[in-house]
Amino acid sequence: MGASRRSPGVAQLATDTRARRLRGLDHPVAPATALPPISWHGPALLPGDAGGSETCVQARCGLMEVNGRDAGVPRRLGLEVASVAAGILAAQAHMAADLAADRGLPRPDLRTSVLQAGLVLLSHYFVVATGLGDAVPGPPLAAPGPPFRSADGRWFEIETLDAEPWQEFWARLGAGDADLGRGWTVFRWRYERAACSLPPGLHEAVARYPLAELARVAAAAEVSLAPLRAYPDVVADPGPGAGRPLLYAGGGDPAPSPPGDGALPLTGIKVVEATSRIQGPFAGMLLRMLGADVVRIQPPEGDYGRAARCLHRGKDAVRLDLGTAAGRAALVELVMGADAFLHNWRPGKAAEWRLDFADLAPRHRRLVYANTSGWGDRPQAGYLVGTDFLVQAHVGLGHALHPEPAPPFPSRVVLSDLVGGLLGAEGVLAALCRRQRAGGAWEVRSSLLAGAMALQAHVLEDLIDGKEVGRRGGRPVWGPLDRPLETTDGLLAVTVEDDETFERLCRRCHVDPSAGARTTVERRVAEQLAAGTAAGWEDRLNGSGIAAAAVCTDLAEVAADPRLSHLFEPVGIGGVAPKAPWTFA
């Protein structure tokens, strides 16, 4: 049975390890600056933390619902997604509080929870569910979306951001015109819908060719293609150590920053953000939620994706055409008056525009310069577009997400984007802390690749060390009770972390825990649970100290739940999105 209730340990380990790595600490943190504790539910009006687990948080916040959209039923993610995110958020709170104290502000006591982390990861999905509705096009089609399978049995992902390369790739493979148009409409919206289905003709087209030929055609059409890699390849390269942002020091003025005058820890810090899509805007949104004044550079054609605009809430906007000398000059002027500059331009663009760290740091001797890229400094940056699903395929993330015999496919939840955004904000905070104490300009480099590796670092480390718990070969091992369970009116998630809890669950379900093999007994428990309601079982089991939660099947219902609704706020484009994932203790 998967050991999901060890997730507070996963979250707290992520907090401790990240804070010490990023702050350059090689000794325990002093009690006066103790790392903030992580709860399961935070300010939600839910049972105490005795009723919490990673699995139940995934059920309540909607992660299971989003992850299962292609399958038509909520599906648990085999990784401790919300717990790892909570650990990073807690480390951010620690650094932000340190920075506030160093700048002469009252030191805030910021707390986060696994539930708040899970909610904020789904920000743009909540906007679609509660505000945009049919504004996001694309009816379901007859066949699954990516990944695709070649004639020699290799699974792979493809990516392009434009319709023309998409059409050329499929035309070269002999797909019909009708399939191309219908498929593109759905394919391009999969980042906002977390779902993708395609015409069968596209799968039939690639099934005629071996992977090597498909890669050649993709390169000719300027479409990125990435095979799904297995864990032995991932352990060898890039390895679990790749999951953190990198900091580089430059020269500069050692004078400290002037203090702010507000309650939030980043009050008085100014950030200029020139980003698009999800990773970069998500990082900027987190900095804004901590109190920074964020100015985003909006291109003349507007933002990518209506739902992703929720990641810009609270930011000021300046529309500039960076393709012109005048637009770049205006950007430099803004950056010279800021503490931090954040961008996610494609590789080589900053150097081409003479807006790289080496160009700006000599003119701004205390600049924090952050680049949130797709592939970081990996070779793939030269020939693959840096987007979420390609990165998930390359780092073998599907292995940690799904148990046997399910195929190890990437999730439709943009996990690399989201955790990459967390790392981008984390890196900026770490650089601001170091600048405050040591002075100088600092460069931060994070990426989707680093985000994906951070998410599964504990899985890979356990695999390498031979200390797997609840996993085999990196893949989760689940019994009958580890998936969402049928009830009379919906699905129920239950977490059983030890034998004593299992026996208690059996007694609540009137099942003899010794009447047969463990798997047999678990199936009998599931049969008993199927005879009651999800909400009824949630109340009864939580009251007995057994973590249980009704599984969300509609994100709009999460935002309307009176136990959770105070954790959301309206956004200007319509709908609601989660508030900041930290609260003052």
Side-chain angles (χ1 to χ4, degrees):
M1 179 173 297
S4 68
R5 272 185 70 83
R6 72 190 186 104
S7 297
V10 171
Q12 203 67 50
L13 176 63
T15 309
D16 298 350
T17 302
R18 305 196 75 76
R20 290 172 184 151
R21 278 181 181 172
L22 291 164
R23 300 285 313 289
L25 301 174
D26 55 4
H27 55 79
V29 177
T33 58
L35 295 163
I38 301 169
S39 65
W40 283 116
H41 303 135
L45 305 178
L46 287 165
D49 273 7
S53 71
E54 167 72 26
T55 303
C56 291
V57 165
Q58 288 189 20
R60 285 192 173 103
C61 77
L63 272 166
M64 286 189 185
E65 187 274 316
V66 179
N67 186 53
R69 285 182 181 175
D70 268 0
V73 62
R75 297 175 65 193
R76 174 183 170 187
L77 295 103
L79 273 167
E80 294 87 350
V81 174
S83 294
V84 171
I88 299 173
L89 289 168
Q92 292 174 3
H94 177 70
M95 289 186 286
D98 274 2
L99 182 61
D102 288 348
R103 295 169 60 230
L105 290 171
R107 182 183 178 87
D109 186 2
L110 292 169
R111 306 285 178 90
T112 192
S113 68
V114 180
L115 177 65
Q116 288 169 285
L119 291 174
V120 81
L121 290 177
L122 298 176
S123 293
H124 70 285
Y125 299 116
F126 275 110
V127 172
V128 173
T130 61
L132 296 185
D134 293 338
V136 181
L141 299 175
F148 300 97
R149 194 175 190 183
S150 65
D152 48 352
R154 298 288 303 279
W155 290 99
F156 64 95
E157 286 272 350
I158 65 169
E159 182 66 279
T160 176
L161 305 181
D162 300 303
E164 290 78 9
W166 164 272
Q167 292 172 343
E168 182 177 350
F169 173 75
W170 291 110
R172 286 171 178 257
L173 298 178
D177 292 342
D179 288 340
L180 305 190
R182 291 186 301 151
W184 172 250
T185 300
V186 179
F187 181 82
R188 69 184 294 264
W189 284 101
R190 69 200 189 284
Y191 284 95
E192 294 191 349
R193 297 192 67 194
C196 184
S197 56
L198 293 172
L202 301 186
H203 289 275
E204 295 165 2
V206 297
R208 294 192 288 264
Y209 299 92
L211 184 64
E213 177 62 14
L214 293 168
R216 187 194 67 77
V217 172
E222 298 186 352
V223 167
S224 293
L225 183 151
L228 270 62
R229 296 205 305 167
Y231 262 178
D233 298 324
V234 177
V235 169
D237 174 39
R244 59 189 176 95
L246 301 176
L247 303 185
Y248 301 89
D253 181 1
S257 301
D261 58 359
L264 292 173
L266 296 192
T267 295
I269 296 293
K270 294 181 171 59
V271 178
V272 174
E273 175 199 312
T275 68
S276 61
R277 302 183 74 83
I278 295 173
Q279 177 185 215
F282 188 47
M285 183 188 78
L286 293 169
L287 297 172
R288 175 69 189 92
M289 287 175 163
L290 285 168
D293 295 320
V294 180
V295 176
R296 65 183 179 95
I297 306 305
Q298 184 176 9
E301 66 272 17
D303 297 315
Y304 166 83
R306 289 186 62 193
R309 292 182 206 170
C310 76
L311 304 179
H312 292 311
R313 64 190 188 274
K315 305 173 186 177
D316 296 323
V318 175
R319 184 164 292 196
L320 295 176
D321 184 355
L322 299 181
T324 67
R328 296 192 293 275
L331 172 62
V332 170
E333 184 176 354
L334 288 171
V335 172
M336 292 302 106
D339 296 277
F341 173 49
L342 172 67
H343 76 80
N344 66 345
W345 299 327
R346 68 177 185 268
K349 181 54 69 175
E352 176 188 332
W353 283 345
R354 297 188 177 180
L355 295 173
D356 216 338
F357 179 67
D359 301 309
L360 298 179
R363 303 174 60 181
H364 187 331
R365 305 289 285 174
R366 290 178 47 76
L367 178 65
V368 170
Y369 181 101
N371 172 23
T372 58
S373 66
W375 296 99
D377 60 359
R378 307 296 298 179
Q380 290 79 12
Y383 59 88
L384 291 178
V385 64
T387 55
D388 183 275
F389 301 129
L390 289 187
V391 170
Q392 285 197 47
H394 182 74
V395 303
L397 204 59
H399 288 265
L401 289 169
H402 309 294
E404 295 280 6
F409 290 169
S411 173
R412 291 275 186 253
V413 183
V414 287
L415 298 172
S416 303
D417 258 313
L418 295 166
V419 183
L422 287 171
L423 296 193
E426 177 183 81
V428 170
L429 284 164
L432 288 170
C433 285
R434 292 193 178 186
R435 185 191 74 166
Q436 186 67 27
R437 297 185 177 184
W442 291 82
E443 183 181 11
V444 179
R445 298 178 190 172
S446 65
S447 63
L448 299 177
L449 179 70
M453 295 306 295
L455 185 56
Q456 60 182 348
H458 62 289
V459 174
L460 294 175
E461 288 167 358
D462 288 350
L463 175 62
I464 293 168
D465 294 341
K467 298 178 179 179
E468 292 185 290
V469 176
R471 292 183 181 274
R472 186 180 302 117
R475 304 195 70 175
V477 178
W478 290 346
L481 299 180
D482 290 315
R483 293 174 173 83
L485 303 168
E486 295 284 350
T487 70
T488 59
D489 64 348
L491 297 172
L492 179 74
V494 177
T495 299
V496 180
E497 76 279 14
D498 53 37
D499 290 340
E500 190 276 330
T501 306
F502 178 65
E503 292 175 3
R504 199 176 335 130
L505 174 63
C506 290
R507 290 194 298 270
R508 291 296 273 142
C509 294
H510 307 291
V511 173
D512 182 354
S514 61
R518 176 66 174 253
T519 300
T520 301
V521 176
E522 287 187 15
R523 290 197 179 101
R524 290 173 182 163
V525 169
E527 291 170 358
Q528 293 300 310
L529 294 172
T533 66
W537 278 119
E538 178 179 335
D539 290 341
R540 290 195 293 276
L541 295 180
N542 285 334
S544 300
I546 302 167
V551 179
C552 157
T553 57
D554 182 349
L555 289 189
E557 293 178 0
V558 176
D561 187 330
R563 302 172 301 174
L564 305 177
S565 58
H566 60 290
L567 302 180
F568 291 82
E569 63 186 2
V571 295
I573 59 173
V576 299
K579 293 179 180 178
W582 306 275
T583 51
F584 287 94

